[in-house]
Amino acid sequence: MPRREVYEQHKHEIEEEFAHHNLERDMKADYEASTKIGTDEHVRRLRVQNRVLLVVLILVVGGFSLALGVF
């Protein structure tokens, strides 16, 4: 009769295989999600956000420069 350790070792190896398979599947899904090109609406929204951030940055730098010029 096989010892209990043999069954536990076999069970552990199977669990490792499943974990490895799940990891590969998750990594593949994450890679596909990260390389997916956004919809037109999403791209448009990102461009608007970038423009707003650029305008705010210009205003902050301009205000800071004006403040230094006054004092």
Side-chain angles (χ1 to χ4, degrees):
M1 182 161 164
R3 293 189 316 204
R4 183 178 201 167
E5 295 87 20
V6 174
Y7 288 121
E8 288 177 3
Q9 181 181 9
H10 185 66
K11 180 180 175 185
H12 182 66
E13 290 173 359
I14 292 173
E15 288 175 354
E16 283 182 358
E17 277 187 46
F18 277 120
H20 185 69
H21 173 72
N22 291 337
L23 176 65
E24 286 180 353
R25 185 192 63 210
D26 292 343
M27 288 176 63
K28 182 180 176 185
D30 289 344
Y31 175 76
E32 289 173 357
S34 68
T35 57
K36 181 180 176 185
I37 297 175
T39 62
D40 290 340
E41 181 182 336
H42 180 68
V43 171
R44 197 175 309 118
R45 190 170 3 120
L46 287 176
R47 286 183 180 159
V48 168
Q49 288 175 352
N50 286 343
R51 288 182 187 134
V52 168
L53 286 174
L54 182 63
V55 168
V56 168
L57 179 65
I58 290 171
L59 289 175
V60 168
V61 169
F64 186 68
S65 298
L66 183 65
L68 285 178
V70 170
F71 294 111

